[in-house]
Amino acid sequence: MTTPHHEPPAPQPPASESRDRIYRSPAGIAGGVLLLAIVAWLGLDAIFSGHGRTPWLALATLILVVPPVVAFTLRPAVYANADRLRIRNPFRVIVLPWGQVASLRSGFSNEVVAQSGTKYQLWSVPVSLRARKKASRRESRAAADQAAGGSRRSRGGFGGAFGGGGGLGGGLSGGLSRGQAVPDGPVRAETDKVMDELREFMETRGQAETAQGEVTVRWAYEVAGPTLAGAVLLVILLVVG
């Protein structure tokens, strides 16, 4: 009698780490939705209520205006995973394996620089100088509060802790009276935090075998085509007029 032979289960592949992190601009999306609502309201009103050539001019204008509005507000996004960075800009989609990323720069705009020296702007991660100044002020206030609390504790000593409200008790109430937690690190604007995450990807995954390859750029004909068609139709209507 022979015992049944059970083959060991095949080894499972490691869990994929390629799930995308998506970075988009909430302000851009909100502005795009508002603009589209206004354009649709005016355009549809002209189409259904206009007379003569007005409906046709309104239709041509809608075809001309809507794709660029979508392209510059709703379309931009940055997708990052363990292998590559994919940038969806208004009229192009750029895919850069991390091995092809030379640096990520932040100035008046955020951009990625490929090993070839070509620069690509990150439209969905706009720089906000106002947010940077606000983060800098918050960091300065937190540092000042922390320093003030430490100086109160050092002046109070043990006698102040049991005496007239200085020392340990006074230091704690003075340092934490505003209810603000001391940040673990430097206070950063949201878009600067995004760039920090992308730099971490670049530094940790730049040499990985799966993060090598060529840079690819694809033009967004689905945006350019309707825009061009709307422009041609509008010109024809104005000329024939």
Side-chain angles (χ1 to χ4, degrees):
M1 181 176 181
T2 59
T3 59
H5 176 68
H6 297 284
E7 295 184 359
Q12 297 296 324
S16 174
E17 299 179 359
S18 61
R19 178 175 297 180
D20 284 332
R21 294 186 187 179
I22 305 173
Y23 304 98
R24 309 186 73 175
S25 171
I29 294 174
V33 171
L34 180 61
L35 282 175
L36 288 175
I38 294 174
V39 169
W41 173 45
L42 296 176
L44 293 177
D45 180 69
I47 289 174
F48 292 106
S49 303
H51 302 283
R53 293 188 308 136
T54 301
W56 291 103
L57 290 172
L59 179 61
T61 303
L62 282 177
I63 298 174
L64 172 65
V65 171
V66 169
V69 170
V70 173
F72 283 95
T73 59
L74 305 183
R75 176 180 169 82
V78 170
Y79 302 84
N81 63 29
D83 297 330
R84 55 101 181 102
L85 177 68
R86 182 161 68 95
I87 307 165
R88 194 172 69 186
N89 281 345
F91 296 105
R92 293 191 298 177
V93 176
I94 305 103
V95 179
L96 299 100
W98 289 114
Q100 289 290 337
V101 177
S103 64
L104 287 151
R105 298 179 181 175
S106 295
F108 291 104
S109 64
N110 290 316
E111 59 187 18
V112 57
V113 183
Q115 295 289 354
S116 62
T118 307
K119 300 176 183 178
Y120 303 101
Q121 188 173 350
L122 306 180
W123 278 83
S124 68
V125 189
V127 169
S128 174
L129 298 180
R130 180 180 179 183
R132 284 181 176 174
K133 291 179 181 179
K134 184 177 180 181
S136 179
R137 289 195 298 267
R138 286 180 56 197
E139 184 175 4
S140 299
R141 285 198 299 267
D145 289 345
Q146 187 176 13
S151 64
R152 292 191 187 97
R153 288 192 294 272
S154 63
R155 288 199 303 268
F158 288 101
F162 300 97
L168 194 58
L172 288 173
S173 70
L176 301 178
S177 60
R178 299 184 182 182
Q180 294 180 347
V182 177
D184 294 334
V187 180
R188 304 276 283 164
E190 288 301 321
T191 54
D192 291 335
K193 292 179 183 179
V194 171
M195 295 300 288
D196 290 341
E197 291 183 14
L198 296 179
R199 290 190 185 98
E200 183 178 357
F201 268 120
M202 179 188 69
E203 293 169 0
T204 58
R205 299 294 301 171
Q207 302 300 321
E209 183 179 354
T210 57
Q212 308 304 314
E214 298 296 328
V215 178
T216 61
V217 179
R218 181 183 68 83
W219 288 94
Y221 296 106
E222 65 274 15
V223 175
T227 303
L228 182 60
V232 171
L233 180 58
L234 186 60
V235 169
I236 292 174
L237 290 172
L238 292 175
V239 170
V240 171

